[in-house]
């Protein structure tokens, strides 16, 4: 897989998930309909980082090999790996099987970023 294809796919995925979580955090996160505004805001703030990562991936999709792009691939690998672990734990604890799907998607992205990033590492050393 080309680095540009992976960055584009992850940017679109993260943007869609980020927008969904911003538009309807109560249903997306599984909160009670009477959740306080403070709780909803506290959930929206860290989830807005998905949109930021989507923007970074979108603008990095056509970049040449560099240490900055290497860092983007490493950051995405770590982020998707932790999301996969978190979704898996949430699935086991809640018994909600839909989280297994998102855990699997995140795991696939983590593996793809690791493999593609490692194969396309920059050769620049400073």
């Amino acid at each position: 897989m080309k680095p540009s294809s992976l960055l584009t796919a992850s940017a679109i995925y993260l943007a869609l998930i980020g927008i969904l979580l911003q538009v309807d955090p109560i249903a997306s996160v599984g909160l009670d309909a009477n959740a306080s505004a403070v709780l909803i805001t506290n959930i929206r703030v860290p989830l807005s980082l998905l949109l930021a990562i989507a923007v970074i991936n979108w603008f990095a999709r056509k970049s040449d090999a560099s240490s900055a792009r290497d860092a983007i691939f490493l950051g995405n690998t770590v982020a998707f790996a932790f999301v996969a672990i978190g979704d898996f734990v949430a699935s086991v604890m809640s018994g909600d099987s839909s989280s297994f799907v998102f855990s699997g998607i995140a795991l696939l992205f983590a593996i793809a970023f690791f493999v593609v990033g490692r194969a396309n590492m920059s050769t620049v050393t400073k």
Side-chain angles (χ1 to χ4, degrees), residues 12-69:
I12 292 169
Y13 175 76
L14 290 171
L16 291 174
I17 296 295
I19 290 168
L20 172 71
L21 293 171
Q22 292 297 322
V23 169
D24 194 5
I26 293 173
S28 302
V29 182
L31 295 176
D32 182 49
N34 298 323
S36 71
V38 172
L39 177 62
I40 293 170
T41 301
N42 286 339
I43 289 172
R44 277 187 171 144
V45 170
L47 293 177
S48 64
L49 294 175
L50 294 174
L51 297 172
I53 296 170
V55 169
I56 290 169
N57 289 350
W58 183 258
F59 283 102
R61 74 190 191 282
K62 293 185 180 178
S63 64
D64 294 328
S66 66
S67 58
R69 193 180 77 175

Side-chain angles (χ1 to χ4, degrees), residues 40-109:
I40 293 170
T41 301
N42 286 339
I43 289 172
R44 277 187 171 144
V45 170
L47 293 177
S48 64
L49 294 175
L50 294 174
L51 297 172
I53 296 170
V55 169
I56 290 169
N57 289 350
W58 183 258
F59 283 102
R61 74 190 191 282
K62 293 185 180 178
S63 64
D64 294 328
S66 66
S67 58
R69 193 180 77 175
D70 294 345
I72 291 170
F73 272 87
L74 179 61
N76 275 283
T77 301
V78 171
F80 277 112
F82 278 114
V83 168
I85 292 167
D87 282 348
F88 179 77
V89 170
S91 298
V92 171
M93 291 178 67
S94 70
D96 181 21
S97 61
S98 67
S99 293
F100 280 121
V101 173
F102 291 106
S103 178
I105 292 170
L107 182 61
L108 290 174
F109 268 117

